[in-house]
Amino acid sequence: MQRPAAGTGSRQERVIAEMRRRIITGEAASGALLSEIALADEFGVSRTPVREALKQLQTEGLVEIRPRVGTFVAAPSRRDITELFEMKELLEGAAARLLALRGRVREVELLEENVRQGDLAVRADDRARYAELVEEFHGLLITGADNTKLEAHYRTLMNQLAYSRLVVTSLGQPGRAPQSEREHHVVLDLILAKDGDSAEMVMREHVRASRRALLAGLELP
């Protein structure tokens, strides 16, 4: 059996990691054409690791490969975002409940500091900083749940959503940032009270509110 050339895997992984980063952060715009030739030239590799990298990114929902047409950065529809947020609601609600049941673990202390910083960012109307803190808040819930399967599904989901881009749009809606921060406070209070059921319910409503704000700020089919 023929073995792959030395270093092929590492080159492919490098292309995957960088292209994933560009898509998630919005550096590669939704709907943009991704040229295998141009990418191979940019990364200094043959087209084979680029082609395999794009196939992997397609399985993650980040690109769309259209035979005989080309490969494009995935451009989610309104329905796509709605369905993905429905899954986000389930996972984050479950995470809030699981974290509440764990007691005062390290992630809870980090959440307390997060909401303190969030209050400052909202008062200063620093949307960029608050967007970072929102991502951190949700990420701490997931890691604090201490469930590797839940976390793995969540990370894949966040990549498919390209959440770093979407959270900025959601928080750009009038009044959304201060309301979001108030909701974070309520979730944290319930976690501190070890009220898992209520923490899950409030967290799910928080995700639904974020989805409504996001869809109001997007022009989607």
Side-chain angles (χ1 to χ4, degrees):
M1 182 176 63
Q2 185 177 7
R3 295 184 178 182
T8 299
S10 61
R11 290 195 295 269
Q12 180 179 319
E13 289 163 9
R14 179 165 58 90
V15 176
I16 291 172
E18 176 58 18
M19 292 308 301
R20 184 188 290 121
R21 183 196 67 79
R22 293 180 189 181
I23 294 169
I24 292 171
T25 61
E27 189 176 321
S30 295
L33 175 65
L34 300 173
S35 165
E36 284 186 12
I37 296 174
L39 290 172
D41 182 63
E42 177 185 351
F43 286 100
V45 298
S46 69
R47 293 177 63 180
T48 298
V50 171
R51 186 177 302 116
E52 293 305 310
L54 294 175
K55 287 180 181 177
Q56 172 60 33
L57 293 172
Q58 182 181 42
T59 68
E60 296 178 15
L62 294 177
V63 306
E64 179 185 358
I65 299 175
R66 304 176 194 169
R68 296 181 295 280
V69 177
T71 301
F72 302 83
V73 176
S77 66
R78 179 175 293 267
R79 176 167 181 165
D80 290 332
I81 289 177
T82 296
E83 291 179 347
L84 288 167
F85 260 80
E86 287 172 346
M87 294 304 300
K88 184 175 186 288
E89 176 190 331
L90 291 171
L91 293 173
E92 291 189 354
R97 176 173 51 81
L98 291 170
L99 178 53
L101 298 177
R102 293 188 67 207
R104 195 171 183 82
V105 294
R106 174 62 174 162
E107 287 82 2
V108 172
E109 296 176 356
L110 293 173
L111 283 170
E112 290 178 312
E113 178 59 25
N114 177 279
V115 297
R116 283 193 288 270
Q117 294 298 320
D119 290 344
L120 295 173
V122 169
R123 282 200 292 270
D125 196 26
D126 187 342
R127 293 184 183 179
R129 174 59 178 153
Y130 187 60
E132 293 175 354
L133 289 165
V134 167
E135 286 198 70
E136 180 184 90
F137 182 93
H138 291 249
L140 286 169
L141 280 181
I142 297 300
T143 56
D146 195 29
N147 184 306
T148 57
K149 301 301 182 185
L150 185 152
E151 183 170 358
H153 285 298
Y154 183 80
R155 299 305 175 196
T156 299
L157 181 68
M158 289 299 96
N159 287 349
Q160 290 177 352
L161 277 169
Y163 187 65
S164 297
R165 291 183 293 181
L166 299 183
V167 70
V168 174
T169 301
S170 175
L171 294 173
Q173 296 304 297
R176 180 56 197 154
Q179 180 60 35
S180 171
E181 183 63 5
R182 287 191 291 270
E183 292 163 3
H184 283 184
H185 273 276
V186 176
V187 171
L188 178 57
D189 287 345
L190 292 167
I191 289 172
L192 289 168
K194 299 183 180 180
D195 186 348
D197 290 342
S198 296
E200 178 174 12
M201 180 182 66
V202 172
M203 190 63 207
R204 291 184 63 169
E205 175 52 38
H206 171 63
V207 175
R208 288 194 293 269
S210 297
R211 184 186 71 192
R212 290 192 294 269
L214 170 63
L215 292 176
L218 291 176
E219 295 181 3
L220 293 169

